[in-house]
Amino acid sequence: MLKQFADYLVFDLMGLQPGSGAGEAADFFIYDTVKIFLLLATIIYVVAIIRSWFPPERTKRILSHNREYVGNVMAALLGIVTPFCSCSAVPLFIGFVESGVPLGVTFSFLISSPMVNEVALIMLWGMFGWRIALIYIATGLLVAIVAGMVIGRLKMERYVQDYVWEMQVGNGEIVEQAWPERFAYAREYTTSLLKKIWPYVVAGVGVGAFIHGYVPQDFLARWAGRDNPFAVPVAVALGVPLYSNAAGVIPIVQALTAKGMAIGTVLAFMMAVTALSLPEAVILSNVLKKPLLATFFGIVATAIVIVGYLFNAIL
């Protein structure tokens, strides 16, 4: 029904021609914008109710009682239900370190929280189907767990800025909520998150619509298709300097895939954009010394490249 609505607006009311660049771009933009916001509003509300059981204080306490390995798995799983982008997760990262959570466990959370979340799951499911969405979530968790374990094994605590170990951020009280309060929290959180991410969604769909309508069908397939062995690392290198969330980058991923770019390559690009970014590097440089910061970016980027090649091999 949404597709019929978009077709009616674009081709009947606006008078654009099917198959033309402007017509296909406008149809893509209207259909995907409406679909994405309906999906986001519904699923974010449901996930926000689940999230009300995991305030930052409880997340920190859960992780502080888990050591390496089990702690890495717990941290990566908790990253799915915690509302932090790559930059806003940094203050919580400091709280984890101050509370005695192992360094590798804190990195598992820092990687998982922005990269593997309900927004990514919803949009990938809606655009690519459940199989791609679940594979992305599973491999994203694997990247977070393995990268956190490797960083933990390297014993690089001495490369955390000294002032972080001296901070006393304290432990807040965990306030249990009744159901009406959880519903109110979910409504407020959903509204707040949609207000925050709508520019990314509209911009992402706009870029995707331009690619869908105007980029030649074989252009990206020729330069970033399966036959180019360097497409995955190039996509990751291009994605790292960029800063966006899943809502902004997934419409672009959909358009790139429709134009012939290999699925592993575009998902590696998406992981690089959401998990690693220059703003995050700037903020983390106030917390981590250069060797640990370089190790973090190097390990995560390498893991994402491996995942990209894996996707291309099996899909």
Side-chain angles (χ1 to χ4, degrees):
M1 182 166 45
L2 286 178
K3 187 68 171 68
Q4 293 172 334
F5 172 71
D7 291 346
Y8 173 73
L9 281 181
V10 173
F11 303 126
D12 293 337
L13 290 186
M14 297 171 64
L16 298 176
Q17 292 299 314
S20 66
E24 293 302 318
D27 193 54
F28 180 98
F29 182 81
I30 292 173
Y31 172 65
D32 278 71
T33 301
V34 174
K35 181 179 71 174
I36 288 169
F37 276 112
L38 286 176
L39 284 170
L40 287 175
T42 303
I43 306 300
I44 289 174
Y45 183 83
V46 174
V47 173
I49 294 176
I50 298 172
R51 181 172 287 163
S52 66
W53 273 276
F54 297 95
E57 293 81 6
R58 175 164 287 154
T59 302
K60 189 166 66 174
R61 289 186 187 181
I62 292 173
L63 295 182
S64 64
H65 291 90
N66 286 282
R67 298 295 93 185
E68 290 180 300
Y69 306 124
V70 174
N72 292 109
V73 175
M74 291 292 296
L77 291 174
L78 285 170
I80 298 177
V81 294
T82 45
F84 302 103
C85 66
S86 59
C87 289
S88 60
V90 172
L92 198 60
F93 171 86
I94 295 174
F96 287 172
V97 173
E98 180 272 337
S99 299
V101 178
L103 190 63
V105 175
T106 63
F107 272 104
S108 288
F109 177 84
L110 185 67
I111 297 165
S112 169
S113 184
M115 185 170 65
V116 187
N117 53 53
E118 81 278 15
V119 175
L121 177 62
I122 296 163
M123 296 182 68
L124 285 173
W125 198 307
M127 293 183 169
F128 294 97
W130 64 269
R131 185 164 171 250
I132 295 295
L134 293 183
I135 289 176
Y136 175 84
I137 297 297
T139 52
L141 286 174
L142 186 62
V143 168
I145 293 168
V146 172
M149 286 180 177
V150 172
I151 292 174
R153 290 287 86 194
L154 292 175
K155 303 296 182 186
M156 300 186 74
E157 283 79 1
R158 65 185 182 281
Y159 294 115
V160 175
Q161 298 288 358
D162 296 336
Y163 79 89
V164 175
W165 302 109
E166 298 166 358
M167 291 179 65
Q168 295 294 323
V169 298
N171 294 309
E173 291 291 327
I174 298 175
V175 179
E176 296 296 341
Q177 297 178 318
W179 276 104
E181 293 172 319
R182 297 187 192 281
F183 290 140
Y185 164 77
R187 186 168 58 251
E188 181 181 351
Y189 175 74
T190 302
T191 304
S192 173
L193 183 59
L194 287 177
K195 286 181 178 177
K196 181 179 178 182
I197 67 175
W198 77 262
Y200 293 98
V201 175
V202 173
V205 175
V207 173
F210 176 81
I211 294 171
H212 183 78
Y214 291 100
V215 175
Q217 186 71 35
D218 63 344
F219 176 80
L220 288 170
R222 186 167 67 247
W223 294 102
R226 294 177 182 275
D227 296 335
N228 184 351
F230 302 107
V232 174
V234 169
V236 172
L238 291 174
V240 169
L242 305 177
Y243 176 64
S244 180
N245 51 33
V249 75
I250 288 178
I252 301 174
V253 165
Q254 183 196 25
L256 293 173
T257 306
K259 289 294 180 181
M261 201 166 171
I263 186 69
T265 305
V266 290
L267 291 181
F269 172 76
M270 173 181 164
M271 286 183 170
V273 171
T274 54
L276 303 172
S277 68
L278 281 184
E280 182 187 25
V282 172
I283 294 175
L284 280 176
S285 66
N286 294 312
V287 182
L288 310 176
K289 297 176 183 176
K290 289 180 180 178
L292 181 52
L293 186 61
T295 301
F296 165 60
F297 270 70
I299 290 175
V300 176
T302 301
I304 291 173
V305 169
I306 293 171
V307 168
Y309 280 121
L310 180 65
F311 269 113
N312 283 344
I314 65 177
L315 296 176

